[in-house]
Amino acid sequence: MRTLRRGAGLVALMVTALLLALLPTTAAQAAGTGEQNWCAVQGIASPEAHRAIDAACAEWRARTVYTWGGGHGPAPGQSYGTWDLSSPSHFEETALDPQTRGFDCSGFARWAWSRAAGYDILGGGTAWDMYVNGGRKYQQVHGAGGGKPAVSDMQPGDLVYTAVGGQVKDITHMMIYLGGGYVVEAYQSQLPIRVIDINSRISDNRLVGVSRMPQGSPFTEPTGYDGTLQVTWGTDVAVRQHPNRSAGQVTRLSGPDIVYAKCQQRGERVTAEGYTNDAWTYLSNRGGWISNIFLRGPAWLPEVPTCSGSDYDAQIGPGGGGNATQGGAYGTWGTDVALRSQPSTVNGTTVARLAGPTSVAVSCQMHAQSVTSEGYTNDAWSYLPQYGAWITNIYLKGDAWLAGVPACDGRGTATPVGAHAYSTWGTGVTIRSTPSAGAGVVTRLSGPTGVAVSCQKHAESVTAEGYTNDTWSYLPEYQGWVSNIYMKGDAWLNGVRNCVIPGVS
């Protein structure tokens, strides 16, 4: 930013800057309705609103697409979608969403405002959740007499909610207001984020309301609310003094709520809502413990640290702990065994160390850096979900590649919804942009690799390695295709769906 000189010239420059700031609004209002080929703040906005809109517009420029359920992972950001099973037409519309990274409307708003606020202020809920459960985090905007706001009451960065009939209970969509009568939105499966006239989106009494996000000191994060922001689910959920069911109640959560997870540990095993888990999380803004069953996300939250030192609570009650986290139970051997953030002794930092033989849960395994230790050499690593870390299979009791444990996908993350874990074989295997040997190269796999397969289809016939096959598999983490010749298994992978869904082109 330029430094302006003091004096009369400063006043003139400030007036000119103000007029220039207002010009885009005037231009936008004169542009009429419809989709626009620009994305930016229109008019005067707070620094927070600027950051949110900048993040949103970066996705607009990247032509990030809508995918149903996208953006609702443990942390804000693009994620794979899922199928909308509410009706046949919705299923047909979202058929490709499980293999598409992007955002839905609320996941998009969540991402933009996490960049503005510096933390996950909106949480991972639906548009309805975000409107009704804001609490102290943000406020509702009202119009004259306390009714619904007019467009003139809105400010850049505000979140606009809509529903057929304009009722809170029916909220199905949300958008980010840019100012000047325009919004940016993720709005339909497989189509890119767009900028459009707000009046075309709130006509026919579809406007429900508007939320205003933090705009400076009135919304500064209070002290004592340390930890990672999470969202609960269920109703009448108990928060307890210790990580066990018999401990005294601190409070009860009446419905989905925003909470702060300071740390998590193994406590008493709990079975509820069809799940069994022994992971508990300490909520700093509630002053007590909650079973991870009632926190949205995996059984062990990867972004929440393990309780240690004075934060660890040894009062786990009767019923003990166990290995009820996701994955099968295995045992380690050796002493002072390092668990790492990545399957590598070079690039992975040490997350924890196991002092001696320990019972662990293993969710998946993959081929990565080759390690030589204790007289063994192995390139297989296993993911331990309760630690959020990797261990070389050298220190796991069993074979070099654990029988019955699925392969992690090629990036070492959770397999996307609707996908299946498989493994490739061979070296220099090419992943292509379309199912054809002549298509563009997305990447090459240097050796056998654990991959996630979302679907397969018959396409160009390929002859290689002494085999001929016309089946190709789609690998969502790479957004590319591989000939099934290089997939371990049958020519047509058992259990993997056809990419072409009946009734869907």
Side-chain angles (χ1 to χ4, degrees):
M1 180 181 294
R2 295 179 182 175
T3 302
L4 302 177
R5 292 182 296 170
R6 301 179 187 275
L10 175 59
V11 175
L13 283 168
M14 290 177 66
V15 172
T16 301
L18 179 59
L19 290 173
L20 288 173
L22 292 175
L23 280 177
T25 301
T26 304
Q29 290 170 339
T33 61
E35 190 169 350
Q36 301 300 304
N37 61 358
W38 51 259
C39 185
V41 171
Q42 300 298 299
I44 299 173
S46 69
E48 294 87 356
H50 268 284
R51 292 195 294 269
I53 291 174
D54 285 348
C57 290
E59 300 298 332
W60 174 84
R61 285 188 291 274
R63 295 187 63 79
T64 300
V65 300
Y66 180 107
T67 184
W68 200 75
H72 291 280
Q78 292 186 28
S79 67
Y80 288 95
T82 187
W83 294 295
D84 181 354
L85 303 177
S86 61
S87 71
S89 62
H90 288 168
F91 172 74
E92 180 174 329
E93 180 182 323
T94 61
L96 296 178
D97 287 9
Q99 62 196 54
T100 303
R101 287 181 67 90
F103 297 105
D104 66 10
C105 65
S106 52
F108 178 49
R110 178 194 186 195
W111 164 250
W113 268 101
S114 74
R115 306 301 292 171
Y119 64 103
D120 189 6
I121 180 173
L122 288 171
T126 65
W128 181 88
D129 293 325
M130 292 179 182
Y131 184 74
V132 302
N133 292 320
R136 65 180 177 80
K137 301 307 297 177
Y138 44 91
Q139 61 190 20
Q140 305 296 336
V141 177
H142 300 291
K148 292 183 180 181
V151 175
S152 59
D153 296 315
M154 301 178 193
Q155 296 179 8
D158 285 353
L159 302 181
V160 182
Y161 301 82
T162 60
V164 175
Q167 298 298 310
V168 173
K169 65 182 180 65
D170 298 321
I171 289 174
T172 57
H173 187 56
M174 64 188 298
M175 306 163 282
I176 303 172
Y177 188 60
L178 297 175
Y182 286 90
V183 291
V184 59
E185 62 174 353
Y187 73 103
Q188 185 174 337
S189 287
Q190 302 300 309
L191 295 181
I193 292 166
R194 70 179 180 181
V195 174
I196 196 166
D197 171 50
I198 189 174
N199 290 308
S200 69
R201 306 297 286 139
I202 64 174
S203 60
D204 300 325
N205 193 35
R206 283 182 290 175
L207 177 65
V208 174
V210 174
S211 294
R212 181 154 299 154
M213 294 292 100
Q215 308 290 320
S217 58
F219 291 87
T220 299
E221 186 68 11
T223 59
Y225 287 80
D226 56 333
T228 303
L229 190 145
Q230 304 288 332
V231 179
T232 67
W233 69 281
T235 58
D236 198 34
V237 176
V239 177
R240 300 189 179 276
Q241 294 175 347
H242 305 288
N244 71 77
R245 291 173 297 173
S246 58
Q249 291 185 23
V250 175
T251 187
R252 299 188 79 88
L253 305 180
S254 59
D257 202 356
I258 295 173
V259 294
Y260 286 81
K262 184 178 182 182
C263 64
Q264 61 189 332
Q265 68 171 65
R266 300 172 67 78
E268 182 179 17
R269 181 183 287 121
V270 175
T271 298
E273 307 292 341
Y275 298 93
T276 297
N277 196 358
D278 66 350
W280 290 70
T281 292
Y282 184 80
L283 309 180
S284 62
N285 65 326
R286 303 294 181 178
W289 296 84
I290 187 175
S291 167
N292 280 23
I293 290 173
F294 297 102
L295 289 173
R296 296 184 183 180
W300 186 269
L301 302 171
E303 71 276 22
V304 177
T306 301
C307 299
S308 60
S310 60
D311 289 332
Y312 180 79
D313 190 331
Q315 299 186 51
I316 64 174
N323 285 295
T325 50
Q326 64 195 61
Y330 281 83
T332 68
W333 68 280
T335 58
D336 198 35
V337 175
L339 307 184
R340 299 185 181 273
S341 60
Q342 298 181 47
S344 168
T345 61
V346 178
N347 300 319
T349 59
T350 300
V351 173
R353 288 185 179 274
L354 304 180
T358 305
S359 178
V360 295
V362 176
S363 60
C364 61
Q365 59 189 331
M366 69 181 295
H367 294 286
Q369 180 197 355
S370 182
V371 176
T372 298
S373 184
E374 308 289 344
Y376 298 93
T377 297
N378 196 356
D379 69 346
W381 293 70
S382 287
Y383 187 76
L384 311 184
Q386 70 267 46
Y387 294 95
W390 297 84
I391 185 174
T392 169
N393 280 21
I394 290 172
Y395 291 103
L396 285 173
K397 295 176 181 178
D399 296 330
W401 182 265
L402 300 174
V405 175
C408 304
D409 64 65
R411 305 296 175 85
T413 58
T415 301
V417 174
H420 300 264
Y422 276 87
S423 181
T424 66
W425 68 278
T427 58
V429 174
T430 304
I431 310 299
R432 298 191 180 272
S433 58
T434 62
S436 168
V441 176
V442 175
T443 189
R444 294 183 188 276
L445 306 180
S446 59
T449 304
V451 294
V453 178
S454 60
C455 62
Q456 58 190 332
K457 67 184 294 185
H458 294 290
E460 180 184 355
S461 182
V462 175
T463 298
E465 309 290 343
Y467 298 93
T468 297
N469 196 355
D470 69 346
T471 306
W472 293 71
S473 288
Y474 185 79
L475 312 183
E477 281 295 297
Y478 294 95
Q479 298 186 34
W481 299 82
V482 63
S483 168
N484 277 22
I485 289 172
Y486 296 102
M487 298 294 298
K488 293 181 180 178
D490 296 330
W492 182 267
L493 300 177
N494 184 39
V496 177
R497 71 178 180 90
N498 192 329
C499 294
V500 180
I501 300 174
V504 181
S505 60

